Amino acid sequence: MSTIDDTSGLKHLGSGKTSYAFHEPTADILEAFPNKYPNRDYQIRFEHPEFTSLCPKTGQPDFATIEITYIPDALCIETKSLKLYFTAFRNHGSFMETITNKILDDLVSVCQPRMMQVVALFNPRGGTSLTVTAEYFKDNSAPIETQF
């Protein structure tokens, strides 16, 4: 097996022409590349501590750390496109629960993992912090133990 990764389908990474969208998060921003080890179960974990969005009612900013853990199947999420996707929430007004589930749905639609978990740890606002966890299991398989 070749150890050279196929990057031919990636448009964001290395383009030198980064374009930011601050209000329209869509799955179209996300990119994936072929997993060189699709027959092996292994975890990939992303942690994005600088996530921002807006409250849909007040327009006040919400800040969070977004943690994503997944077991890839045929495809892996490309990191730069994930950063651009997160940036697209910056001026987007939506409830924290909706955001967490949208992130999960969009990522699953792009890479079809065996398992994925998105944990959104929102900073306290009004004296209350909020953590939302959303999970996906391909073919309704059993949850896989992960440590966060």
Side-chain angles (χ1 to χ4, degrees), residues 131-144:
T131 299
V132 182
T133 301
E135 297 177 325
Y136 165 84
F137 302 98
K138 188 174 190 174
D139 302 325
N140 295 320
S141 59
I144 296 174

Side-chain angles (χ1 to χ4, degrees), residues 121-137:
L121 301 123
F122 284 89
N123 292 2
R125 209 157 50 84
T128 303
S129 60
L130 180 76
T131 299
V132 182
T133 301
E135 297 177 325
Y136 165 84
F137 302 98

Side-chain angles (χ1 to χ4, degrees), residues 51-144:
F51 183 87
T52 60
S53 62
L54 300 176
C55 172
K57 181 73 173 170
T58 66
Q60 293 293 313
D62 289 316
F63 301 93
T65 295
I66 306 294
E67 298 173 345
I68 299 164
T69 303
Y70 74 105
I71 297 175
D73 199 353
L75 298 170
C76 297
I77 296 293
E78 191 280 315
T79 308
K80 182 173 182 181
S81 72
L82 181 62
K83 291 175 192 175
L84 293 172
Y85 174 75
F86 285 152
T87 301
F89 282 93
R90 185 176 187 167
N91 292 332
H92 177 77
S94 197
F95 288 117
M96 300 168 193
E97 297 84 351
T98 302
I99 288 169
T100 307
N101 282 282
K102 176 177 179 33
I103 291 170
L104 178 65
D105 288 347
D106 287 351
L107 289 170
V108 166
S109 75
V110 169
C111 74
Q112 295 297 307
R114 292 185 184 133
M115 169 275 197
M116 182 173 281
Q117 180 183 65
V118 176
V119 178
L121 301 123
F122 284 89
N123 292 2
R125 209 157 50 84
T128 303
S129 60
L130 180 76
T131 299
V132 182
T133 301
E135 297 177 325
Y136 165 84
F137 302 98
K138 188 174 190 174
D139 302 325
N140 295 320
S141 59
I144 296 174

Side-chain angles (χ1 to χ4, degrees), residues 2-93:
S2 172
T3 58
I4 298 173
D5 291 309
D6 178 10
T7 61
S8 62
L10 301 177
K11 60 184 176 188
H12 297 302
L13 184 63
S15 71
K17 302 175 189 173
T18 302
S19 176
Y20 296 95
F22 295 114
H23 64 285
E24 195 170 333
T26 68
D28 295 337
I29 298 170
L30 294 164
E31 296 181 341
F33 60 90
N35 178 10
K36 292 291 230 175
Y37 300 93
N39 296 323
R40 178 182 298 157
D41 281 347
Y42 65 97
Q43 291 185 9
I44 298 172
R45 186 166 190 272
F46 297 113
E47 184 174 325
H48 187 79
E50 298 177 346
F51 183 87
T52 60
S53 62
L54 300 176
C55 172
K57 181 73 173 170
T58 66
Q60 293 293 313
D62 289 316
F63 301 93
T65 295
I66 306 294
E67 298 173 345
I68 299 164
T69 303
Y70 74 105
I71 297 175
D73 199 353
L75 298 170
C76 297
I77 296 293
E78 191 280 315
T79 308
K80 182 173 182 181
S81 72
L82 181 62
K83 291 175 192 175
L84 293 172
Y85 174 75
F86 285 152
T87 301
F89 282 93
R90 185 176 187 167
N91 292 332
H92 177 77

